Amino acid sequence: MWWLGVVAAGAGAVPPGLTGRRIGVLSGAVLFLVTAAVVALVRRRRYTVLAHGAARAGRHDVLQDRAVTARAWRRGHRWWLLLAFVAALGSSFVLPAAGGMLLAGAGTGLRLKAAWLGRRERAGDALLWVRVDWLGPGGGRPAGKAVRGYRSTGTAAGDAAPGGARRRTAALV
């Protein structure tokens, strides 16, 4: 979402729009900050409850980390993302760059939320996973009603690192 927003804001700054570039960019900056804060803070209680009630992953659980969940969600919602990008570009004729900055703020808020979850995982010394069968088609919602709880493993499990990042491997000499 962040990259789509940056591209839309850059392209949206080209036409002067009805309000002018200065007002468009300043209002876009406010929208960016407000959207990033709202997206980063919303549903934290749900994530905390799911993380607090995380059970140890069983041998037969099929687990999926947040990076894979996010990729599946992007694939399942690609038309909505395309529509948001087009709407951000279209809004630049009224308020230049504001729609793109709004979209970029949503992406930044999601990145901040992932960093917050990563800090929780490091503090608890456990990785949090979502069971694949609890996610619907199109990626589902990783903290939606269908997800009844997370599964946890130790931080040495697999190739994942806290926060949904890939574990860095030492370079071969």
Side-chain angles (χ1 to χ4, degrees):
M1 258 193 216
W2 188 82
W3 282 110
L4 288 175
V6 168
V7 170
V14 173
L18 294 177
T19 60
R21 283 188 191 98
R22 180 174 177 226
I23 292 174
V25 171
L26 289 176
S27 61
V30 170
L31 284 172
F32 175 86
L33 293 173
V34 169
T35 304
V38 167
V39 170
L41 297 175
V42 75
R43 296 190 65 130
R44 276 197 179 193
R45 183 175 297 144
R46 173 76 174 149
Y47 281 95
T48 304
V49 167
L50 289 172
H52 181 68
R56 290 296 281 177
R59 175 174 281 199
H60 300 290
D61 281 341
V62 178
L63 304 174
Q64 180 170 299
D65 67 348
R66 283 186 302 278
V68 176
T69 302
R71 189 170 46 245
W73 185 89
R74 278 191 309 265
R75 282 188 195 131
H77 294 83
R78 65 181 164 258
W79 294 111
W80 288 107
L81 290 171
L82 179 65
L83 182 64
F85 178 72
V86 169
L89 280 177
S91 71
S92 65
F93 291 106
V94 176
L95 209 59
M101 292 175 94
L102 175 79
L103 193 58
T108 301
L110 289 174
R111 178 67 65 169
L112 291 172
K113 187 177 285 188
W116 172 74
L117 281 168
R119 286 190 301 274
R120 283 190 57 88
E121 286 178 335
R122 282 186 193 91
D125 199 32
L127 297 177
L128 299 173
W129 303 84
V130 176
R131 283 182 45 175
V132 177
D133 56 339
W134 287 349
L135 295 174
R141 299 172 67 179
K145 290 182 181 181
V147 178
R148 295 182 289 277
Y150 288 151
R151 298 292 190 238
S152 68
T153 60
T155 56
D159 59 350
R166 291 290 219 189
R167 182 175 302 282
R168 292 185 177 95
T169 57
L172 299 174
V173 178

